[in-house]
Amino acid sequence: MDNDEAFAAVVRLIGRYFDGLHFSDTAILAEVFHPQAHYACATGGSLLQLDMAAYFPIVDRRPSPASKGESRSERIVSIEFAGPVTAMVRAECTIAPKRFSDLLTLVHVDGRWQIISKVFHYELMPQPGG
C-alpha cells in the first residue's frame, strides 16, 4: 500500500468511526476498533479505562445523536504515520452536550486499518440560555 492509499484508507476508517458514533452503532464501531482496543479518558480527574466489551454496551444504551436530530460536527485534525502499519489520528466530534478531542492510534493488521487505542478529552458545550 503506498502513502496515498494508506492515507485514503485511514480517512475512510475515520469516516466510519464518525458514522458509528453519530448513529450509536456498535456494529460499525466493531468494524473500526481492533477487538483488543483500549479506551481511556482522564477528563474527570481520574482514569477511566475500558476495553471494547465494556465500551460497546455504553454506546448501545445511549440515544444516538442522529435520533435526537443533532447535526454532525466532526473533523479530522491531523493524520500522522509512524511507519507503514502505524498511524495517529487527532479528531474532533460532538455528542451533545460534550465536545470531544480524540487521539486515535491505528494499526494495519489483517489487511486493514483498525483503531487500537482511543484516548480522549472532552469539554461541556455551553448550553443555550445558560
Side-chain angles (χ1 to χ4, degrees), residues 71-127:
S71 61
R72 291 178 75 149
S73 174
E74 60 208 20
R75 73 184 183 115
I76 296 172
V77 176
S78 63
I79 298 174
E80 183 176 338
F81 289 87
V85 297
T86 309
M88 172 70 86
V89 174
R90 181 169 177 209
E92 296 176 344
C93 68
T94 301
I95 300 174
K98 297 176 181 173
R99 179 84 180 142
F100 294 89
S101 293
D102 296 341
L103 301 174
L104 306 170
T105 305
L106 284 61
V107 292
H108 190 270
V109 292
D110 301 325
R112 64 191 180 107
W113 288 98
Q114 295 176 290
I115 300 168
I116 192 66
S117 72
K118 171 181 176 169
V119 179
F120 66 97
H121 171 77
Y122 68 85
E123 295 180 355
L124 294 176
M125 299 174 356
Q127 297 301 303

Side-chain angles (χ1 to χ4, degrees), residues 15-87:
R16 290 296 286 162
Y17 168 72
F18 288 146
D19 289 344
L21 293 177
H22 186 70
F23 295 103
S24 294
D25 188 328
T26 52
I28 294 173
L29 293 175
E31 293 173 17
V32 300
F33 279 97
H34 188 279
Q36 296 176 27
H38 297 280
Y39 169 104
C41 178
T43 299
S46 61
L47 180 63
L48 169 65
Q49 186 173 350
L50 305 173
D51 60 14
M52 295 302 96
Y55 172 56
F56 287 168
I58 293 168
V59 175
D60 286 333
R61 285 191 300 271
R62 74 175 174 224
S64 72
S67 72
K68 297 188 294 182
E70 291 179 24
S71 61
R72 291 178 75 149
S73 174
E74 60 208 20
R75 73 184 183 115
I76 296 172
V77 176
S78 63
I79 298 174
E80 183 176 338
F81 289 87
V85 297
T86 309

